[in-house]
Amino acid sequence: MEGRLRQSKSKASATADESSSLKASDAVSLPVYLTNAFFFTVFFSVVYFLLLRWREKIRNSTPLHVVSLSDIGAIVTFVASFIYLVGFFGIGFVQSIIIPRAPDEEDEFEQVMVKEDSPKLPCAAAPKSDDDILKICKKIEVSADDEEIIKSVVEGKIPSYALESKLGDCRRAAAIRREALQRNTGKSLEGLPLEGLDYESILGQCCEMPVGYVQIPVGIAGPLLLDECEYSVPMATTEGCLVASTNRGCKAIYASGGATSSLYRDAMTRAPVVRFGSAKRAAELKLFLEDPLNFETLSLVFNSSSRFGRLQSIKCAVAGKNLYIRFSCSTGDAMGMNMVSKGVQNTLDFLTNQFPDMDVMGISGNYCSDKKPAAVNWIEGRGKSVVCEAVIQGDIVNKVLKTDVASLVELNMLKNLTGSAVAGALGGFNAHASNIVSAIYIATGQDPAQNIESSHCITMMEAVNDGKDLHVSVIMPCIEVGTVGGGTQLASQSACLNLLGVKGANKEAPGSNARLLATIVAGSVLAGELSLMSAIAAGQLVKSHMKYNRSNKDVANIKS
């Protein structure tokens, strides 16, 4: 940097020696304040002179375009002084038009800095050679063959997404892609682990173009005593205090005899949108689909696509010439989106023969509704609908939760019910159901994006037994979980499912593992709600987060 500064200064000095730099004040050999006063005086004097001359011409009936030599001089002077004033003391403006300004020392330095420090890529300075790359990131050991492939990927000769199919080795493909990415961006991925993941297991199922994996701590809350069984609940999270809080809720539930749950609906949905030439035809299809006499035929067509998918109901909504058809079906131990989609496709093919003027606009028309907050899910349910409840004894509320029954009941009414209503909440009549749902979903290989509707929850609290004890419940109509497919087959997630006793499909009672997982999610949410509400009621929320959710370590000095 200092070398560049000296070089730029020497260039500027040389330029100054060869030709003297002109300044705006050099246009008139007077101080700036006198120059400004001069042009102000000239401008208003000329204006006054021209106004007098025009008035005289008007009185004498002389055409205004007839001008004398003095008039021409006055007009020229007026224009010159006007340019100065418009430029707001604009000697520099006038001078820049007449005489090009030589660059001064500061401008020269700025030009050098911009030229040398400008990034060669939109987001980062690209390394020019392997030596530059070694300075930026820790280079991994690669064989000669891999080096050639890496260079081909960097040069664009081999598409990054095609490495697995070309090499036949998923781990090697990930390593090559990772190194090519580092060379292209000039950024190190040293803190992102590469080893320790079975890349074959994610091929074509979980993730495309992998370069590593992200580590998320898994904590255990529990035991959760639910329906007379104990569960140690795995929670993957980076939020301090979450596992500890849920664990305290589990402790209160356990000490009070446990919680009970009931799964009252089990149906995944998919809702295609079709279009007709008229609204009347759309209504006719709605009547056909919702006619009980046609349900058996439609069920046979739908169910033929899967061993476990079973059509339960069809609900339609007309919007002009468009019809939205919401299919609901059971899906065994799978979460079931692919299963229900196959059944819907079969049914649409069948309906096309019955209604040849029907145009299928999309297999999903958002009336499902997947991964979006929607009243239809809150009212009708999606996935597993569960209610979970417990009676917490008054002395447990005092000793474990550090509050009292009356305070919890009042806070729940003001916060979860009234406060959520004031906010216009949709399915959000709870304290933090999504915290627990997300943590369990990530740990057990569920789709984290479905946390949106799965976290629909209403938390209820009321005093019972003459006000001595607390009845608490959560109603969750849209828990979307599965124990087979997707991320559930990965080693880490499979281990967490095994911990809960719901790994894989239940061959004796298909669907029972997924239903049990849904009730565990609801029971864990019950524990989390109970603990957080108690912390707020007792004024402990900030204190606990300062203790468990803030690190005193200097993370900048911690090696990855």
Side-chain angles (χ1 to χ4, degrees), residues 224-406:
L224 172 67
L225 183 56
L226 178 66
D227 298 324
E228 300 182 353
C229 294
E230 296 182 11
Y231 302 97
S232 296
V233 183
M235 301 176 67
T237 180
T238 57
E239 181 183 350
C241 208
L242 177 59
V243 177
S245 178
T246 308
N247 188 68
R248 184 174 75 151
C250 291
K251 180 179 179 181
I253 293 172
Y254 193 101
S256 296
T260 58
S261 66
S262 177
L263 190 147
Y264 59 91
R265 186 190 296 118
D266 182 6
M268 182 49 65
T269 63
R270 174 62 84 195
V273 53
V274 300
R275 175 178 291 177
F276 289 90
S278 66
K280 180 182 179 181
R281 287 289 289 163
E284 289 175 355
L285 177 56
K286 171 182 168 66
L287 294 174
F288 175 84
L289 292 172
E290 294 181 348
D291 188 343
L293 298 178
N294 298 323
F295 184 79
E296 184 177 354
T297 301
L298 295 171
S299 295
L300 291 174
V301 174
F302 186 99
N303 298 344
S304 64
S305 64
S306 170
R307 290 181 300 159
F308 301 105
R310 293 295 177 264
L311 183 64
Q312 294 184 358
S313 65
I314 301 175
K315 183 175 182 179
C316 303
V318 179
K321 298 185 294 181
N322 306 306
L323 182 67
Y324 296 83
I325 313 168
R326 194 171 193 257
F327 293 84
S328 300
C329 80
S330 58
T331 57
D333 283 308
M335 184 271 289
M337 285 302 302
N338 292 335
M339 191 181 300
V340 67
S341 295
K342 289 193 298 181
V344 168
Q345 187 62 59
N346 273 14
T347 308
L348 290 176
D349 294 340
F350 170 78
L351 291 174
T352 301
N353 295 327
Q354 305 295 317
F355 295 82
D357 56 337
M358 180 185 76
D359 292 328
V360 178
M361 307 307 296
I363 197 168
S364 175
N366 274 5
Y367 186 44
C368 312
S369 174
D370 187 39
K371 300 172 184 174
K372 292 167 284 292
V376 67
N377 290 339
W378 177 238
I379 297 169
E380 299 290 337
R382 188 170 195 258
K384 276 72 173 170
S385 300
V386 181
V387 58
C388 187
E389 63 182 338
V391 175
I392 310 300
Q393 298 168 7
D395 60 334
I396 301 300
V397 174
N398 296 329
K399 294 178 181 179
V400 177
L401 301 177
K402 310 300 182 183
T403 186
D404 58 85
V405 173

Side-chain angles (χ1 to χ4, degrees), residues 174-190:
I176 290 174
R177 181 181 296 111
R178 178 192 182 98
E179 181 64 13
L181 179 63
Q182 291 186 121
R183 297 189 187 186
N184 273 330
T185 63
K187 302 295 183 182
S188 173
L189 293 177
E190 185 178 355

Side-chain angles (χ1 to χ4, degrees), residues 94-235:
V94 177
Q95 177 180 295
S96 66
I97 299 176
I98 300 173
I99 305 173
R101 182 169 59 90
D104 58 20
E105 180 178 318
E106 187 174 346
D107 291 336
E108 180 73 14
F109 175 68
E110 182 178 355
Q111 291 172 10
V112 172
M113 291 298 294
V114 169
K115 182 177 180 180
E116 295 189 13
D117 291 342
S118 295
K120 304 302 185 294
L121 289 177
C123 298
K128 299 177 182 179
S129 65
D130 287 346
D131 292 336
D132 294 332
I133 296 168
L134 288 172
K135 297 176 183 178
I136 297 172
C137 57
K138 183 179 180 181
K139 188 175 180 182
I140 62 174
E141 295 293 333
V142 294
S143 64
D145 292 340
D146 286 354
E147 182 64 31
E148 290 299 320
I149 299 173
I150 291 171
K151 289 181 179 179
S152 296
V153 174
V154 171
E155 294 169 2
K157 296 178 181 178
I158 298 179
S160 179
Y161 62 82
L163 287 172
E164 281 80 4
S165 60
K166 287 184 177 294
L167 300 176
D169 184 340
C170 293
R171 192 269 173 214
R172 182 185 174 200
I176 290 174
R177 181 181 296 111
R178 178 192 182 98
E179 181 64 13
L181 179 63
Q182 291 186 121
R183 297 189 187 186
N184 273 330
T185 63
K187 302 295 183 182
S188 173
L189 293 177
E190 185 178 355
L192 186 70
L194 176 67
E195 304 296 339
L197 178 66
D198 180 9
Y199 291 92
E200 304 287 343
S201 66
I202 67 174
L203 180 64
Q205 183 162 333
C206 294
C207 182
E208 299 75 38
M209 296 191 288
V211 295
Y213 59 95
V214 173
Q215 296 169 307
I216 302 179
V218 177
I220 298 297
L224 172 67
L225 183 56
L226 178 66
D227 298 324
E228 300 182 353
C229 294
E230 296 182 11
Y231 302 97
S232 296
V233 183
M235 301 176 67

